[in-house]
Amino acid sequence: MDDLLMIVPTRGRPESVPAILDCWRQTGATADLLFAVDDDDPMLPGYREQMMNNLDNPRIGWRFGPRLRMCGTLNATAVEEASRYRFLGFMGDDHRPRTPGWDERFRICMSGGPGIVYGNDLLQGEIMATAVAMTSDIVQTLGYMAPPALIHLCLDLCWMDWGRGMGRITYLGDVIIEHMHPANGKADIDAGYIECNSSEVSTADATTYYDYRDNGGLQADLEKLRALVACSGGGYLSPGVLKAVNGSAEPERVITAGEAGTR
């Protein structure tokens, strides 16, 4: 068992499984990999075939459950696994790691305490964390890996907000986690892309994100995450005190709600 688990919610694309496993082999990745599949997926037999083909690989896990849409499936899986792994990651079934040692680079970036890391997807680059990893204590602190009211879109915006608000986010521009997406001509439009980019989902997720960002949800989560950073390493944060004792030589500063509002 590795200390990093990459979670891949997937629907309608069983052919993505061998493609992702090939990337694991080519890059020498040792991270564990979990495919989260809907039990009503029309392509379910294809996923079960892929599972049977890889029964001898202890690094590959499977989760079959009711359809919760991508964010719901990711959250359910991440909460279940957070106590077993030091680090949790997300990739879409259309992401392909290309850089040898990418997972070790992720681990190194997260080894200093609570934080988030992402690579270059060759589509959004530094702008969005479309494939991401974070310390599992973030999931345990918040109770989710992304705001649960979201359906499919805007998760990456929330991860950027969390990382920046914590002061703990790293972009690795030389670590390629390629996004094979119709927007960059690297994939054909299929039923999954049509559904998740529909006006209904786009409007719902955008409305939800802005409500979360602007009406207290993000601020409440950042208060928890800043306290987590301050207390990392077995330290503590006293009421009304901006510095916490932790396991490092230097105490860490917590940004107050008032200060955050002026940034």
Side-chain angles (χ1 to χ4, degrees):
M1 178 174 169
D2 200 82
D3 58 357
L4 168 61
L5 174 68
M6 296 300 296
I7 301 169
V8 182
T10 181
R11 182 178 178 86
R13 298 172 185 153
E15 71 281 358
S16 67
V17 174
I20 291 172
L21 295 182
D22 187 56
C23 290
W24 247 243
R25 287 187 289 269
Q26 291 187 24
T27 62
T30 62
D32 286 352
L33 181 61
L34 192 154
F35 294 99
V37 183
D38 299 333
D39 57 17
D40 70 340
D41 193 320
M43 302 297 290
L44 189 60
Y47 284 109
R48 294 202 179 278
E49 180 181 358
Q50 291 298 331
M51 181 180 69
M52 296 304 295
N53 290 342
N54 291 281
L55 286 177
D56 60 344
N57 191 333
R59 295 204 179 278
I60 303 173
W62 298 84
R63 183 185 190 275
F64 294 90
R67 190 180 191 198
L68 304 173
R69 305 300 291 268
M70 191 181 77
C71 185
T73 297
L74 175 62
N75 279 336
T77 307
V79 169
E80 288 174 1
E81 301 292 339
S83 63
R84 302 179 62 236
Y85 289 89
R86 184 181 178 191
F87 312 119
L88 294 172
F90 160 82
M91 289 190 337
D93 59 11
D94 55 357
H95 282 92
R96 303 288 183 266
R98 305 296 191 191
T99 303
W102 64 270
D103 55 330
E104 183 60 17
R105 295 282 301 281
F106 275 18
R107 292 186 197 89
I108 291 169
C109 288
M110 296 182 288
S111 63
I116 295 172
V117 61
Y118 65 109
N120 184 353
D121 72 348
L122 302 181
L123 178 58
Q124 299 292 348
E126 189 173 3
I127 298 172
M128 287 187 186
T130 64
V132 69
M134 64 186 67
T135 52
S136 61
D137 50 11
I138 292 175
V139 175
Q140 292 172 310
T141 295
L142 298 180
Y144 46 76
M145 195 166 175
L150 294 171
I151 301 169
H152 189 104
L153 305 175
C154 301
L155 284 69
D156 39 25
L157 297 178
C158 294
W159 294 326
M160 297 293 291
D161 289 338
W162 291 356
R164 289 169 175 166
M166 296 167 66
R168 290 293 189 92
I169 189 165
T170 303
Y171 170 63
L172 298 175
D174 62 331
V175 173
I176 306 303
I177 313 290
E178 189 172 9
H179 200 175
M180 311 299 289
H181 195 277
N184 55 15
K186 296 178 180 178
D188 295 328
I189 297 175
D190 62 14
Y193 290 121
I194 291 172
E195 181 182 49
C196 71
N197 291 290
S198 67
S199 59
E200 179 183 5
V201 173
S202 298
T203 299
D205 276 346
T207 300
T208 295
Y209 168 69
Y210 288 121
D211 179 67
Y212 170 77
R213 188 192 69 179
D214 299 334
N215 294 316
L218 173 60
Q219 187 58 44
D221 282 350
L222 287 181
E223 291 293 333
K224 297 175 184 177
L225 295 176
R226 288 168 182 149
L228 174 66
V229 170
C231 298
S232 62
Y236 58 89
L237 178 65
S238 301
V241 177
L242 295 183
K243 290 188 177 181
V245 176
N246 57 37
S248 67
E250 295 293 330
E252 302 208 22
R253 192 167 187 278
V254 177
I255 301 172
T256 65
E259 289 176 310
T262 62
R263 296 179 71 186

